[in-house]
Amino acid sequence: DQQVKQNSPSLSVQEGRISILNCDYTNSMFDYFLWYKKYPAEGPTFLISISSIKDKNEDGRFTVFLNKSAKHLSLHIVPSQPGDSAVYFCAASSFHNRKLIWGLGTSLAVNP
Amino acid sequence: NAGVTQTPKFRILKIGQSMTLQCAQDMNHNYMYWYRQDPGMGLKLIYYSVGAGITDKGEVPNGYNVSRSTTEDFPLRLELAAPSQTSVYFCASEGAGGYGYTFGSGTRLTVV
């Protein structure tokens, strides 16, 4: 039972355009959501997070939107750059259980 | 600033052999985690620790053991290696103050 779902295994966009990566969750107890980025042969690195008390968090080119009623979050990258090509993981946790629950990842390719 | 250090980076084991994957962090983080990532799959939690002397099972603990005698170190032990344990193993740590894991660069293990 996948509590955090990233339904698109891969995404390809042109450099300079917007990349939108989606994530759905089923557990209404989740109150903290994170995005990690992973390059081949490296560990995941933290990218951006959002608490359930917010619906948007922005950090430079990266913005995460949270729709609690739909149990959906998305990561927007604007403008996309070739260096953004990586696998992006969505993860969620709850206040009472710090262990992160991970999606399967979306592989983003940004083409020059 | 080393962060989380994993050794070795690569290892080939024969079926039935044993080995220890090392993980050390220098950030004085209380929480530490061991994950495995199989091809095309997300991160599966093997074991975790909330502090020195305290460990607990994750989603996929069978075939593994851990110990946490110090805050810094969290080794993962494979006693009787099986082909099903062929995977990439990631260690992560997290401070008590908030979410956001710091990952090591991973150990790629092949059991033949």
Side-chain angles (χ1 to χ4, degrees):
Chain A
D1 178 30
Q2 197 77 19
Q3 295 187 64
V4 176
K5 301 177 184 178
Q6 295 177 256
N7 291 319
S8 298
S10 62
L11 176 68
S12 182
V13 300
Q14 287 298 120
E15 182 178 5
R17 306 295 290 270
I18 184 171
S19 295
I20 300 176
L21 294 90
N22 293 304
C23 179
D24 297 293
Y25 62 96
T26 58
N27 190 339
S28 57
M29 296 298 291
F30 289 148
D31 59 9
Y32 200 79
F33 305 89
L34 307 90
W35 285 94
Y36 282 78
K37 176 178 175 179
K38 185 183 181 303
Y39 292 118
E42 294 184 13
T45 55
F46 171 74
L47 188 59
I48 192 169
S49 64
I50 189 167
S51 161
S52 60
I53 62 173
K54 294 185 175 182
D55 55 18
K56 176 182 174 181
N57 189 27
E58 196 170 351
D59 184 1
R61 296 185 297 115
F62 302 92
T63 303
V64 56
F65 295 92
L66 176 62
N67 183 334
K68 289 186 290 293
S69 61
K71 293 191 178 66
H72 176 84
L73 63 155
S74 61
L75 174 68
H76 293 210
I77 306 174
V78 184
S80 301
Q81 299 174 353
D84 296 330
S85 298
V87 176
Y88 289 78
F89 290 98
C90 173
S93 68
S94 63
F95 176 78
H96 298 289
N97 187 348
R98 295 177 67 112
K99 297 194 298 291
L100 290 179
I101 306 300
W102 297 81
L104 297 184
T106 296
S107 179
L108 173 66
V110 180
N111 306 306
Chain B
N1 54 342
V4 177
T5 302
Q6 288 185 241
T7 56
K9 291 193 181 301
F10 304 94
R11 183 73 185 266
I12 298 175
L13 277 184
K14 293 184 178 179
I15 294 171
Q17 286 186 320
S18 301
M19 77 164 293
T20 299
L21 283 67
Q22 302 291 345
C23 175
Q25 52 92 7
D26 60 0
M27 299 170 284
N28 202 33
H29 284 173
N30 290 328
Y31 297 84
M32 296 188 75
Y33 306 85
W34 272 107
Y35 286 91
R36 59 177 285 173
Q37 185 187 18
D38 299 326
M41 302 296 289
L43 295 163
K44 298 288 188 183
L45 181 64
I46 305 171
Y47 270 95
Y48 67 101
S49 169
V50 301
I54 306 169
T55 63
D56 207 347
K57 297 177 181 179
E59 301 171 74
V60 289
N62 292 342
Y64 306 94
N65 274 302
V66 293
S67 59
R68 184 94 183 271
S69 56
T70 66
T71 299
E72 294 77 21
D73 299 299
F74 190 40
L76 178 72
R77 178 86 178 156
L78 283 71
E79 289 295 347
L80 292 170
S84 61
Q85 293 177 304
T86 293
S87 190
V88 181
Y89 292 82
F90 291 103
C91 178
S93 73
E94 180 192 22
Y99 305 112
Y101 295 1
T102 301
F103 281 85
S105 57
T107 295
R108 183 174 295 274
L109 176 67
T110 303
V111 181
V112 297

